Amino acid sequence: MKTWLEISKTNLAHNAKEALQRLAPQTKLLAVVKANAYGHGMTLVADALSAKIRADRLWFGVDSTEEGIALRKHGIRAPILVLGYTPLDDLALATRFRLDLTVYNLETVKRLKLGRIHIKLETGTTRQGVGERDALAIAQLASHKPGIKLVGLSTHYANIEDTTDHRYAAMQLKRFCSAADALERAGFKIPIRHTAATAATILFPDTHFNLVRFGLGLYGLWPSKETKVSSYASKEGSPALKSALIWKSVVAQIKKVPSGAPVSYGLTERVHRASRVVVVPVGYSDGYPRALSSVGTVLIRGKRAKVLGRVCMNMMLVDTTDISGVRLEDEVVLLGQQGQDEITADELAAKVGTINYEIVARISPHLLRRSR
Ligand SMILES: *Cc1c(COP(=O)(O)O)cnc(C)c1O
């Protein structure tokens, strides 16, 4: 195989347990596995967690009906909540596969015949969700349809990850609680409240209620430096998250290149000494960002090799002049640990001006994921 991923089921389960330890005993963990489990492989991750986490504490969260159906067809029986929009034409399918729905318009409730819904509250993120009045109207309509069970009330924070100043989040939590109270006063008993993603799960027990939506942390990654710093200062302390993914390829060719030779498309970079250049058969269509042209590094024989020139669609070139003994089909690590060194998603993200979420979520779903 030219390029593949190795996923540690042990580390995935470890991270889930780190999260569970911070929760009250009745609070459940919704493992967010959208975007192919942040690139880690949705069914592999679901299997790993189903095997190691008590069934009565585990939910799954997906973005779409398609993802939810794929989990059901794979045999997952835990509750599954669709976090994103469900088109009206897909509602019957969602019912058939027992998917809980995130709901924020009356049209959905009008069309839905049977199923469980969670109303999404707008509390300041200005994304999916409705204010208190519309939430009441949705609850009212749902209460007149015997097939519909209003089981959840949720919201999502705008600004926990990017700051150590959490006053905005506190304000959103206050709005959430006040809308929840209003619904309760109007006679709607909604058993499940949920607001926390990874950062809030780690930092603020007040946001847990009876379910947390834990995504990035499952994969051993931190939402941001600010989250990590805040967690050191928090009463609960810092969870020991372990990265679960290694992205590998192999040396496909080794060539001697004279000083001054240009490397790859566009002649954007030349070697400044007689060099040994290696072809690595993985590129931007596999999810390795083209923005890492001339700036990325990979690991070969435990040492760093710099990406030379442009990253191509399915290959790239790296400089191994300073690494001795490189052989055809030696393992190349693009992301993760090899020997004493590790290339993290945070490092690659910083180099191309994005976040670790995007680096892992864009690894092509076509690549093989192997568990280790
Ligand atoms: C993706 C997502 C999450 C998970 O966020 P993390 O920061 O990865 O934990 C939680 N809630 C909703 C609504 C999401 O869309």
Side-chain angles (χ1 to χ4, degrees), residues 253-326:
Q253 191 186 356
I254 307 162
K255 52 176 65 187
K256 285 190 171 150
V257 171
S259 179
V263 181
S264 193
Y265 285 129
L267 320 181
T268 55
E269 183 172 10
R270 288 169 192 276
V271 295
H272 292 298
R273 56 179 173 169
S275 299
R276 216 162 342 101
V277 173
V278 152
V279 177
V280 182
V282 49
Y284 62 78
S285 78
D286 300 300
Y288 194 83
R290 185 169 178 275
L292 286 170
S293 296
S294 285
V295 297
T297 53
V298 301
L299 295 170
I300 301 179
R301 299 200 160 249
K303 299 217 166 71
R304 286 184 174 243
K306 190 181 92 72
V307 173
L308 289 167
R310 295 246 174 97
V311 171
C312 311
M313 190 178 284
N314 289 106
M315 41 188 114
M316 60 190 189
L317 296 312
V318 303
D319 182 0
T320 59
T321 314
D322 296 326
I323 306 174
S324 57
V326 176

Side-chain angles (χ1 to χ4, degrees), residues 30 32 34 38 62-63 83-84 120 127-128 155-156 161 195-199 201 213-219 223 357:
L30 177 142
V32 181
K34 66 192 180 193
Y38 296 47
V62 295
D63 175 60
L83 301 166
K120 181 76 172 254
R127 211 171 73 165
Q128 300 184 113
T155 194
H156 195 61
E161 293 83 358
T195 71
T198 294
T201 301
R213 306 184 304 260
F214 201 66
L216 195 74
L218 267 182
Y219 308 103
Y357 289 80

